[in-house]
Amino acid sequence: MYRPRRYLMCPPEHFRVTYSINPWMDLTKPVDVRLAMAQWSDLRDCYRSLGHSVDELTPHPDLPDLVFTANGGLQLEDRVLGARFAHPERYGEATVHEEWHREQGRTEFQRAQHTNEGEGDFAVTADWLLAGHGFRSSPLAPQEAQEYFGRPVIALDLVDPRFYHLDTALCVLDDGPDGEEGRTRGTVMYYPGAFSPGSRAVLRRLFPDALVAAESDALALGMNAVSDGHHVVLPQAAVGLLDPLRERGFEPVPIDLSELLKAGGSVKCCTGELR
């Protein structure tokens, strides 16, 4: 079900690839900052045209990955669990996010004790938090989030380094209206090959009607999408997802973020949600 959202983004004014911390980052490929800015602006304007609001972080010259605002933390209602980044190149982003939230008047802010990268590895449904771990987040991060938010957490084991965050392998399409007690709510799309056998079994049990993506669409970072419950903004190269999304009643909105893909990010990585 569609509802207006509020997003946090950061212009990629200082975007570059000068280090490699995931399989997508190739130091030999040049980055076009003007193109990255243009593509990012298209995404921001797309959200606003769909009825959503966008807050913006101020870019920092020493933090080229600050554009990937989904990684800075997880906010639910008045509480924020700030990220604890896995790689030192990104440590400074956690402070930028914390300062921004405190400037917004959010006093219920906790910096994570265990490594996690915010909405990179946490996805929100009506019933649960889905929590990926294996590459960038600690196996202890799901328990920490459950204790802090008081919401059941489902831990999912990521096993393919190309899909190093949960948001590269799974997208919540509809977080679900309140339904009958005991009934699964919400729906997702995901790429099974990114998960361990046990985690795949859990996803099949929780989301029997999920959209199961092919590898070609996953490698286009098609799971790194943002849904408002009706519109699904996704990388334009993930063409195999368009008809299946329409068949399920969603409206796909393809967008080109190919320049930002050089750092291993796309639509969702650039979009933190303020709930």
Side-chain angles (χ1 to χ4, degrees):
M1 180 180 297
Y2 167 85
R3 59 179 173 82
R5 311 288 176 120
R6 183 183 174 196
Y7 298 129
L8 180 63
M9 300 181 68
C10 180
E13 291 181 11
H14 306 292
F15 179 66
R16 59 191 184 275
V17 178
T18 57
Y19 49 79
S20 181
I21 57 175
N22 68 58
W24 302 85
M25 301 178 88
D26 184 345
L27 300 182
T28 67
K29 291 183 178 179
V31 169
D32 186 333
V33 176
R34 288 187 178 181
L35 179 56
M37 277 292 298
Q39 292 178 347
W40 178 91
S41 297
D42 287 344
L43 177 62
R44 177 200 59 197
D45 295 346
C46 172
Y47 287 142
R48 289 174 173 164
S49 74
L50 296 174
H52 308 306
S53 61
V54 177
D55 291 43
E56 295 186 23
L57 283 178
T58 301
H60 192 291
D62 297 327
L63 300 172
D65 281 348
L66 191 59
V67 61
F68 300 129
T69 51
N71 299 152
L74 174 65
Q75 181 192 349
L76 290 174
E77 298 176 349
D78 294 329
R79 293 197 150 204
V80 184
L81 182 64
R84 181 171 293 274
F85 284 91
H87 296 284
E89 292 89 346
R90 301 195 67 182
Y91 285 174
E93 295 176 43
T95 299
V96 172
H97 280 269
E98 179 173 358
E99 290 175 350
W100 186 85
H101 280 288
R102 294 196 183 279
E103 288 169 1
Q104 300 297 306
R106 298 187 183 97
T107 57
E108 293 293 324
F109 187 102
Q110 176 174 299
R111 184 77 66 90
Q113 295 299 307
H114 301 290
T115 305
N116 84 77
E117 297 194 345
E119 289 189 305
D121 274 328
F122 288 117
V124 180
T125 75
D127 291 309
W128 312 287
L129 290 178
L130 306 178
H133 64 85
F135 297 102
R136 295 287 192 89
S137 291
S138 165
L140 299 175
Q143 180 182 3
E144 182 177 17
Q146 180 168 279
E147 288 300 312
Y148 184 60
F149 292 112
R151 180 183 287 227
V153 176
I154 307 296
L156 301 168
D157 190 15
L158 299 166
V159 296
D160 186 329
R162 298 173 300 177
F163 307 102
Y164 57 91
H165 273 155
L166 181 65
D167 71 359
T168 66
L170 179 147
C171 173
V172 176
L173 295 173
D174 187 347
D175 48 16
D178 290 339
E180 298 174 6
E181 185 175 355
R183 181 180 177 184
T184 298
R185 295 178 291 178
T187 188
V188 304
M189 63 178 177
Y190 70 97
Y191 170 56
F195 298 94
S196 68
S199 295
R200 291 198 297 269
V202 168
L203 288 169
R204 288 194 298 269
R205 181 182 293 268
L206 295 180
F207 304 104
D209 298 322
L211 194 169
V212 177
E215 183 179 31
S216 57
D217 292 312
L219 289 175
L221 278 196
M223 303 305 100
N224 199 246
V226 170
S227 175
D228 60 20
H230 177 65
H231 310 96
V232 181
V233 184
L234 75 168
Q236 68 176 19
V239 294
L241 297 174
L242 303 183
D243 285 342
L245 284 168
R246 293 187 185 106
E247 290 167 3
R248 286 165 170 77
F250 297 98
E251 181 181 337
V253 183
I255 197 159
D256 182 10
L257 285 185
S258 54
E259 201 62 19
L260 292 164
L261 182 59
K262 293 177 179 178
S266 192
V267 176
K268 176 55 189 171
C269 288
C270 293
T271 313
E273 185 164 352
L274 303 169
R275 297 177 177 83

